[in-house]
Amino acid sequence: MDADLAFNLPDQKLLETLTPQQLVAIIFRQQQIIAHLRHAVSQLPHGPELIHPEIPPPTEPHLALVTDETMCYFPLTGGTCWTIGRSEENAIVLADRWMSRTHAMIQRMGQGEFYLIDLGSRNGTFVNGRRVSIPMPLHNGDRITFGQTELDFFNEPLPPLFSDSAILSLPQPEGSATALLHVRRLLTVLVVDIRDFTQLTRQLNEELLSEVIGTWFHRAGEIIRQYGSWVDKYIGDAVMAVWIHESEEIGYREICYTLSALEDLRSMTGELHQQYPLPAPLRIGAGLNTGYAMVGNTGSGDRPDYTALGDTVNAAFRLESATKTIQADIAMGATTYHYLVGGCPAAVPFRPQVLSLKGYETPVPAYIGTFADLHSFLEKALKSSDTLH
């Protein structure tokens, strides 16, 4: 069996034995392989007529337009900003009557990441079927829809499809089907939201807003990966991250990883005004919740979309929303608090409060606090333990 086919898992029982690191590795690798396969198929001989004479090399970021009649590439090089629309004044001109004259813009950040910005188009801009309302980060293999035109974004080299460098290799019985990776696991969900974002959009011009939010998304992703998770979703002005736990026997150490990530996110956000001319320092709010959820693929076969599903996730979003009403920075579910206080060497300063969460018929017990509470707690906890080092 080729090592890169490790996402072909034999049965549910084997999935449930995987460590969180192995699950994350499978998710990442399957997404990469599918993106590379789609790119490779688009370049097979005897395909559609090539109307763009210069095919970009695999290392060159570009948009690809592939239909039954045409194959066209739009390199994203030699600049930092490309407007897209049906007007001849755009960097990328698409003859689609459903597009606006200047429909959208792709901006390249200093770190080499690309963001898609809708410029108030009448019919909207979509990434993987989701409408773009704020600057959205683009990932390798994303499908972008403008009007009735679909393009694929590529920003990674195309490695050999089946190399010897495996992330994970598992036994594969004959005749087994590809698993969709639906696994019930204990996890902690963190939802972080930028406060007063709507007001900010009215105070900043589009270019500055794109730069600020793009930088925030990029740095948030780096911080979350540093603490052993991945950004599950970019939603509006918020991010959702998931920590998959090894077993039910977790304690304050695991929750402290999430809280330490949150502390770094708060610090990073508060420092952005030193880099950009903002009217005031940016602030965030957060909701945390721990419980069982399904980790699974909600996308299609050639467009996987791995996420955590269930009430545990919904409650994390509701807890974050509740912080705006109760004037708190952080709200965590009772289960998260229970695991945090278990064996913790420092007093946990979060206060109990019963919250009325949208969509829940009865009030929900939770624990709330401020970022000052969080900072003080982590200082004491880390002095008493080398948990995170």
Side-chain angles (χ1 to χ4, degrees):
M1 161 183 154
D2 285 304
D4 278 343
L5 291 177
F7 60 84
N8 289 335
L9 301 176
D11 54 40
Q12 189 72 16
K13 290 183 179 180
L14 179 56
L15 286 175
E16 293 172 353
T17 66
L18 300 180
T19 67
Q21 292 77 14
Q22 289 174 321
L23 285 174
V24 173
I26 292 173
I27 289 171
F28 285 157
R29 188 53 180 161
Q30 183 167 355
Q31 291 173 329
Q32 290 171 354
I33 290 174
I34 290 174
H36 296 327
L37 282 170
R38 293 182 69 252
H39 192 180
V41 169
S42 73
Q43 299 187 64
L44 289 175
H46 311 299
E49 178 187 359
L50 180 66
I51 63 172
H52 194 292
E54 296 180 1
I55 300 178
T59 57
E60 180 177 299
H62 65 279
L63 297 176
L65 171 62
V66 180
T67 69
D68 292 338
E69 296 81 23
T70 62
M71 180 184 297
C72 186
Y73 296 89
F74 302 96
L76 300 175
T77 57
T80 59
C81 180
W82 298 265
T83 57
I84 303 164
R86 55 186 175 83
S87 169
E88 295 292 336
E89 298 175 354
N90 293 289
I92 298 175
V93 180
L94 299 173
D96 183 338
R97 66 188 182 90
W98 295 97
M99 292 184 65
S100 299
R101 291 182 59 82
T102 303
H103 194 102
M105 176 173 70
I106 292 179
Q107 181 169 339
R108 181 170 186 160
M109 305 294 293
Q111 301 91 343
E113 295 209 345
F114 289 80
Y115 282 79
L116 177 65
I117 305 153
D118 183 84
L119 298 178
S121 65
R122 174 171 296 185
N123 294 316
T125 301
F126 299 80
V127 175
N128 301 331
R130 298 177 181 176
R131 186 159 187 164
V132 174
S133 57
I134 67 164
M136 179 174 288
L138 291 174
H139 301 96
N140 190 55
D142 278 346
R143 173 158 293 181
I144 308 171
T145 304
F146 308 103
Q148 293 187 333
T149 303
E150 292 187 337
L151 299 96
D152 293 319
F153 171 79
F154 294 102
N155 188 30
E156 289 184 6
L158 184 63
L161 290 176
F162 306 114
S163 64
D164 294 331
S165 57
I167 293 179
L168 176 66
S169 182
L170 295 170
Q172 176 76 16
E174 291 186 15
S176 65
T178 300
L180 290 181
L181 195 60
H182 283 85
V183 190
R184 187 173 183 267
R185 298 297 292 264
L186 181 66
L187 48 82
T188 294
V189 181
L190 171 66
V191 176
V192 178
D193 171 87
I194 298 178
R195 289 289 188 257
D196 303 319
F197 180 75
T198 300
Q199 181 180 350
L200 186 67
T201 62
R202 299 184 183 128
Q203 296 174 312
L204 303 181
N205 62 51
E206 290 179 345
E207 185 174 351
L208 177 57
L209 179 65
S210 171
E211 187 80 13
V212 172
I213 299 303
T215 298
W216 186 78
F217 279 141
H218 175 80
R219 294 181 183 173
E222 287 185 330
I223 290 170
I224 289 167
R225 286 190 292 273
Q226 176 187 344
Y227 284 96
S229 180
W230 79 97
V231 176
D232 184 291
K233 288 287 181 291
Y234 293 95
I235 307 172
D237 55 340
V239 295
M240 165 188 162
V242 175
W243 278 260
I244 303 174
H245 299 303
E246 295 277 1
S247 67
E248 295 182 2
E249 303 301 322
I250 69 171
Y252 77 95
R253 291 176 175 83
E254 287 82 356
I255 305 302
C256 275
Y257 269 96
T258 304
L259 291 176
S260 295
L262 177 57
E263 168 70 2
D264 284 2
L265 287 168
R266 179 210 60 80
S267 177
M268 175 273 293
T269 304
E271 293 171 356
L272 283 177
H273 73 288
Q274 299 174 9
Q275 181 178 352
Y276 299 102
L278 302 177
L282 294 182
R283 299 180 301 111
I284 59 174
L288 295 88
N289 197 37
T290 303
Y292 282 92
M294 298 299 294
V295 179
N297 177 15
T298 61
S300 61
D302 66 343
R303 181 66 59 175
D305 181 13
Y306 288 100
T307 187
L309 306 167
D311 185 66
T312 297
V313 178
N314 295 336
F317 278 94
R318 301 309 186 193
L319 287 167
E320 187 281 319
S321 295
T323 61
K324 303 170 187 176
T325 304
I326 63 177
Q327 300 297 308
D329 294 326
I330 307 164
M332 67 173 61
T335 304
T336 307
Y337 182 84
H338 168 76
Y339 284 124
L340 181 60
V341 298
C344 186
V348 179
F350 294 95
R351 302 173 294 284
Q353 184 163 336
V354 177
L355 301 177
S356 296
L357 302 183
K358 183 178 179 181
Y360 289 77
E361 296 181 358
T362 59
V364 175
Y367 291 81
I368 66 171
T370 66
F371 282 118
D373 295 331
L374 176 63
H375 181 78
S376 175
F377 165 72
L378 287 175
E379 276 195 335
K380 295 174 183 177
L382 295 181
K383 283 182 180 179
S384 304
S385 171
D386 61 350
T387 302
L388 306 179
H389 300 284

